[in-house]
Amino acid sequence: MSPKQHRGEVTSDLLLDAALRVYAEAGEQGLTVSAVTRASGVSLGSLYHHFGSIDGLVNALLTRWLGRLLGELADAVGQSRDARTGVRALVRAYLGFVQEHPDVSRLLHSSRADRVGMEQGRELRDVQEARMPPLTSWAVRHVERGEIAPLPPALLESLLLGPVVGVSRRWLTVGDVDLDEAARVLPERIWRSIGADGA
Amino acid sequence: MSPKQHRGEVTSDLLLDAALRVYAEAGEQGLTVSAVTRASGVSLGSLYHHFGSIDGLVNALLTRWLGRLLGELADAVGQSRDARTGVRALVRAYLGFVQEHPDVSRLLHSSRADRVGMEQGRELRDVQEARMPPLTSWAVRHVERGEIAPLPPALLESLLLGPVVGVSRRWLTVGDVDLDEAARVLPERIWRSIGADGA
DNA sequence: CCTTTTCTAGAATAATTTTCTAGAACTTAC
DNA sequence: GTAAGTTCTAGAAAATTATTCTAGAAAAGG
């Protein structure tokens, strides 16, 4: 998959990379068709050939990066022994990703993501469905062992990720949070909320 | 402030109401200048006279409703005795608002809100700064009394609202959550995470 | 090679937002 | 009550942005 990539794949990548670059520099508003073609050197026709629309391009970008994020989260819980260290690993992996890829995270969290996800989102949902199972089964396993409280999945997910997402959004927009401190403090706090009662 | 409103105020309201109606029916994509002028019967020139841009209009709409939401949250905690019941009241007020105004909530939570908030957001931030203090001071008060753990404000806010926002977004988009159950279960869970240790 | 398919290119078109000019409706001061 | 100034309404024109379309180059498969 390296020396003789089909040229289409190459231009797709050129476009995806350029789109992220443009978004990082010019933000939501600046992410236009012409900005991307200019930044990538790829023609308008190619963009539409590969992605069908500007939202299609954004969607592909989101899909790519959401996959990576979820993959990292799955790895994090996969390598942890008990539920408690799993929570810590998960929170730190998430915050680490945000810190390492702030532009991507901004795109993933805010704005265009929801809309594109809603309207275009076949692929996006596929990625979620492909990458979530490790996380879900991790949770189920520990609920069964009596380590995590038996809550409805949606509530469990919100308790687990809600605060982390909240802190991330805040760091990405306002900036008045210390992510390292959050990584230190949040896990134990979150653990209290979802840990089984007999702790 | 009722019988002789200045006509400008009337058209502003016409536009704001129409914008929400259009958003509810046609979604993100459908919320265009022409759709709003059509739905409101107001001319293009008036729209631009009052709001400067389509984002300006959306921003005003967000400002109006964010103010109401924050007001209801402040009322909720204001009427509660101890910190624990305050948390319960807060969570229920939030979820109640979402259930009562799903379209508004969709707009507030997702998509356009962040972008408009980022770029246009002077007013929006003003509303936040005007309406948050009751909530902040409520938190501070109970931290001082030793009921709530002494966490940095941003972390406290994320632990408190993160899960609630997460559940709301999910209910608004996917729909696979039971909001009444969430209102029953979340408060005690959240309380565990932020309550002072000596409970 | 010849055929078919995939891909590139950019001009033409369409959709949408924003600007601009003109005048109507209201307000204020005298 | 009316002249001068301001706010507001109106919609045509301009600008910006997204999408479609047609033509042909490059690659793949026989």
Side-chain angles (χ1 to χ4, degrees):
Chain A
M1 57 171 77
S2 37
K4 262 195 177 176
Q5 268 182 324
H6 295 204
R7 74 189 155 140
E9 210 170 319
V10 174
T11 47
S12 286
D13 283 348
L14 281 176
L15 285 165
L16 288 168
D17 294 345
L20 184 56
R21 229 160 42 234
V22 168
Y23 177 77
E25 282 173 23
E28 183 70 43
Q29 297 285 16
L31 188 49
T32 66
V33 171
S34 65
V36 173
T37 53
R38 205 177 325 118
S40 63
V42 171
S43 78
L44 190 57
S46 295
L47 191 159
Y48 276 87
H49 173 74
H50 288 289
F51 297 107
S53 72
I54 183 68
D55 280 357
L57 172 57
V58 173
N59 187 47
L61 191 58
L62 288 169
T63 301
R64 163 186 282 192
W65 284 98
L66 181 62
R68 292 188 193 175
L69 170 57
L70 292 179
E72 290 189 17
L73 298 187
D75 288 352
V77 300
Q79 291 167 1
S80 62
R81 273 209 209 307
D82 57 359
R84 199 168 166 179
T85 60
V87 170
R88 186 164 57 216
L90 189 73
V91 171
R92 292 189 174 171
Y94 196 109
L95 295 177
F97 181 93
V98 169
Q99 206 157 21
E100 194 174 349
H101 309 290
D103 297 320
V104 170
S105 300
R106 228 181 303 277
L107 183 60
L108 277 174
H109 279 100
S110 90
S111 202
R112 209 133 172 181
D114 307 318
R115 201 193 78 215
V116 172
M118 270 276 100
E119 281 154 20
Q120 281 248 357
R122 164 63 26 191
E123 290 174 49
L124 252 189
R125 231 161 300 148
D126 287 352
V127 175
Q128 263 181 337
E129 273 164 33
R131 300 283 187 145
M132 283 302 272
L135 293 173
T136 309
S137 73
W138 169 83
V140 169
R141 201 161 57 243
H142 288 288
V143 166
E144 282 169 357
R145 287 188 198 160
E147 293 181 85
I148 295 179
L151 296 162
L155 296 189
L156 188 56
E157 190 185 315
S158 296
L159 284 164
L160 192 52
L161 292 180
V164 184
V165 170
V167 164
S168 298
R169 293 177 83 102
R170 184 139 176 177
W171 183 75
L172 290 166
T173 53
V174 190
D176 62 342
V177 205
D178 180 344
L179 276 198
D180 294 326
E181 184 179 28
R184 253 181 288 119
V185 174
L186 281 187
E188 51 176 303
R189 292 284 155 185
I190 292 172
W191 174 248
R192 289 198 194 192
S193 71
I194 65 169
D197 301 21
Chain B
M1 58 169 79
S2 38
K4 264 195 177 177
Q5 269 182 323
H6 295 205
R7 75 191 154 138
E9 209 170 319
V10 174
T11 48
S12 285
D13 283 348
L14 282 176
L15 285 166
L16 289 168
D17 294 345
L20 185 55
R21 228 158 43 233
V22 167
Y23 177 77
E25 282 173 23
E28 183 70 44
Q29 297 285 16
L31 189 48
T32 67
V33 171
S34 64
V36 173
T37 53
R38 205 177 325 118
S40 62
V42 171
S43 80
L44 189 57
S46 295
L47 191 158
Y48 276 86
H49 173 73
H50 288 289
F51 297 107
S53 71
I54 183 69
D55 280 357
L57 172 56
V58 173
N59 187 47
L61 191 58
L62 288 168
T63 301
R64 162 185 283 192
W65 284 98
L66 181 62
R68 294 188 191 175
L69 170 58
L70 292 179
E72 291 190 16
L73 298 188
D75 288 351
V77 300
Q79 292 168 358
S80 62
R81 273 209 209 307
D82 57 359
R84 198 168 167 179
T85 59
V87 169
R88 186 165 56 215
L90 189 73
V91 171
R92 292 188 175 172
Y94 196 109
L95 295 178
F97 181 94
V98 169
Q99 207 158 20
E100 197 174 348
H101 309 289
D103 297 320
V104 170
S105 299
R106 228 182 302 276
L107 182 60
L108 278 173
H109 279 98
S110 100
S111 199
R112 208 134 174 179
D114 307 316
R115 201 193 78 215
V116 172
M118 271 276 98
E119 281 153 20
Q120 280 248 354
R122 163 63 29 193
E123 290 174 49
L124 253 189
R125 232 161 298 147
D126 288 351
V127 175
Q128 266 183 334
E129 273 163 34
R131 300 283 187 145
M132 283 302 272
L135 292 173
T136 310
S137 73
W138 169 82
V140 170
R141 202 160 57 243
H142 289 287
V143 167
E144 283 169 356
R145 288 187 197 161
E147 294 181 85
I148 295 179
L151 296 162
L155 296 189
L156 189 56
E157 190 185 314
S158 297
L159 285 164
L160 192 52
L161 292 180
V164 185
V165 170
V167 164
S168 298
R169 293 176 83 102
R170 185 141 177 176
W171 184 74
L172 290 166
T173 53
V174 190
D176 62 343
V177 204
D178 179 344
L179 276 198
D180 295 326
E181 184 179 29
R184 255 181 286 118
V185 174
L186 282 187
E188 51 176 303
R189 292 283 154 185
I190 292 172
W191 174 249
R192 289 197 194 192
S193 70
I194 67 170
D197 301 20

